[in-house]
Amino acid sequence: MNAADLDLRRRTYAHMVENGTAPRADDLGDRDEVVAGWRRLHDEHALVLNPGTDEIRMLNPFSAVPSAWRVHARDRWWYANCAWDAFGVCACLHADGRIESSCPDCGEPIVVEVHDEKPGDESLLFHVLVPAERWWDDIVYT
Amino acid sequence: MNLFRSEEHLGRWLGGREPGATTTVVELSVLAHAWWDDRVSADWRPHTREQNQAILDRLGLTGDFWLLP
């Protein structure tokens, strides 16, 4: 990853952290140049674009679109992509937080307070369906 | 990558599908903090495969299922 792409990635994440939403390409500069850079970052799994639209889908661990995983941290609600990423939002913001989702089986709410990097409810189970070798075959499904 | 209330809920959700890997939510939190800690740092650099595999290894997430490509 070259210095220009690293800088573009840094500015993209900084926009997310500052505003709580992913930037549009023209928020960061010349649209065509930004999209070209984002495509390279997508290819290197440094972010995830929506196919066809060149809009950001994931700035892992953040989701740029509403998801089943909401995290309250640093006085703001965020969306995450999955359970791993929900804890990742607290991790990357270096903040305590509150994770809200639901059990995929019964639909009952799941709420986890995260304090000092530890979950308040230790009874829950984390399940990963797809083996690591195939995570990026379809990262949205993973 | 989901959280479940119990093994019973997980089993029902799988509905006959082959299970993947299951850990406690405590282990998940440790994993997530190791994996994502630097993600919004201005000094972030891409993790190598070896760095990421080492994170999994340190947490005992080993075996074919956890082998990164």
Side-chain angles (χ1 to χ4, degrees):
Chain A
M1 190 176 297
N2 65 35
D5 287 351
L6 272 174
D7 184 61
L8 174 60
R9 182 202 169 280
R10 181 189 60 74
R11 291 188 293 120
T12 304
Y13 270 81
H15 185 288
M16 183 70 171
V17 171
E18 189 173 333
N19 299 288
T21 57
R24 296 169 305 166
D26 51 15
D27 289 329
L28 300 182
D30 177 82
R31 186 184 187 286
D32 291 342
E33 287 182 15
V34 169
V35 168
W38 280 354
R39 286 178 181 161
R40 290 190 296 274
L41 292 168
H42 172 97
D43 290 342
E44 296 194 53
H45 300 167
L47 52 74
V48 179
L49 296 177
N50 272 324
T53 68
D54 291 325
E55 293 171 325
I56 292 174
R57 169 68 182 258
M58 297 178 180
L59 286 177
N60 310 69
F62 303 100
S63 172
V65 297
S67 75
W69 295 92
R70 298 200 323 142
V71 183
H72 191 259
R74 281 201 193 172
D75 299 322
R76 174 174 277 161
W77 283 100
W78 311 83
Y79 286 109
N81 302 293
C82 64
W84 187 340
D85 286 5
F87 281 88
V89 168
C90 297
C92 75
L93 295 175
H94 302 128
D96 292 342
R98 173 185 175 92
I99 296 169
E100 295 186 357
S101 189
S102 57
C103 175
D105 169 50
C106 67
E108 287 294 311
I110 284 178
V111 177
V112 187
E113 301 284 349
V114 181
H115 183 67
D116 289 342
E117 304 186 4
K118 295 181 179 64
D121 180 350
E122 300 186 354
S123 70
L124 300 167
L125 296 177
F126 171 53
H127 182 261
V128 182
L129 187 64
V130 179
E133 187 177 33
R134 303 207 311 266
W135 285 347
W136 282 94
D137 290 359
D138 183 346
I139 191 62
V140 174
Y141 177 73
T142 294
Chain B
M1 297 184 178
N2 284 307
L3 289 176
F4 290 88
R5 301 170 75 84
S6 69
E7 290 278 4
E8 183 186 352
H9 287 256
L10 170 58
R12 265 201 310 261
W13 177 77
L14 284 167
R17 286 179 294 176
E18 192 70 23
T22 305
T23 76
T24 67
V25 70
V26 176
E27 291 167 318
L28 166 61
S29 190
V30 174
L31 169 63
H33 282 82
W35 193 272
W36 297 116
D37 175 76
D38 62 347
R39 193 56 58 125
V40 301
S41 163
D43 300 328
W44 179 89
R45 293 292 182 276
H47 290 192
T48 65
R49 178 197 173 279
E50 288 69 28
Q51 286 173 304
N52 283 336
Q53 195 71 62
I55 292 172
L56 298 174
D57 289 349
R58 275 201 303 276
L59 298 174
L61 302 173
T62 56
D64 289 347
F65 186 89
W66 293 102
L67 202 57
L68 297 165

